[in-house]
Amino acid sequence: MEGVLVTGSASAELTGECVRCLEPITDEIEVDLQELFVYDDRDHDSEEDDEVSMLQDDLLDLESLLRDAVVLALPFQPVCEDDCPGLCPECGARLLDDPDHAHEAPIDPRWAGLAALQQDQQHRE
Ligand SMILES: [Zn+2]
Ligand SMILES: [Zn+2]
């Protein structure tokens, strides 16, 4: 008697990018909604009007209800796959495309002189 109880579900299409490899991803979510919209009864002296959804001239404004429900349902850190390995820290290649991706171990600059010597020796042989 105090208002209208709204129940339902809404679905939305998501687009974004993987937080690990930046690959574009699309997804779909479905959220359940339930909210009581109370009649706008000005005789009520409620100081919590902001917390309560009101009927406005027999109309329901579902926007904030929908927005809140969808935002809460959004994945906090969307990934293209659960075990997405991300990007190569050396060159930025996407590791999912190239699982065997590897670089030769970087040469410690203190040994760089020895490496040059080794190359020199191989050259002479
Ligand atoms: Zn990814
Ligand atoms: Zn790489």
Side-chain angles (χ1 to χ4, degrees), residues 88 90-93 101 103:
C88 169
E90 291 268 330
C91 69
H101 188 90
H103 292 269

Side-chain angles (χ1 to χ4, degrees), residues 38-109:
V38 299
Y39 294 118
D40 191 357
D41 183 359
R42 288 295 174 203
D43 298 339
H44 257 298
D45 67 316
S46 60
E47 289 171 9
E48 291 166 44
D49 271 4
D50 294 345
E51 306 282 317
V52 176
S53 298
M54 295 278 204
L55 278 168
Q56 286 153 4
D57 302 327
D58 291 338
L59 293 177
L60 301 164
D61 184 359
L62 292 174
E63 188 187 330
S64 62
L65 174 60
L66 274 172
R67 192 181 50 223
D68 290 352
V70 169
V71 166
L72 279 176
L74 288 178
F76 186 56
Q77 295 196 312
V79 287
C80 60
E81 303 202 5
D82 284 342
D83 56 354
C84 172
L87 300 175
C88 169
E90 291 268 330
C91 69
R94 187 173 177 242
L95 296 177
L96 208 60
D97 294 334
D98 190 1
D100 299 325
H101 188 90
H103 292 269
E104 293 196 20
I107 294 167
D108 188 316

Side-chain angles (χ1 to χ4, degrees), residues 116-125:
L117 210 72
Q118 193 182 29
Q119 269 170 7
D120 224 36
Q121 215 154 38
Q122 278 167 354
H123 205 66
R124 262 182 249 159
E125 276 168 14

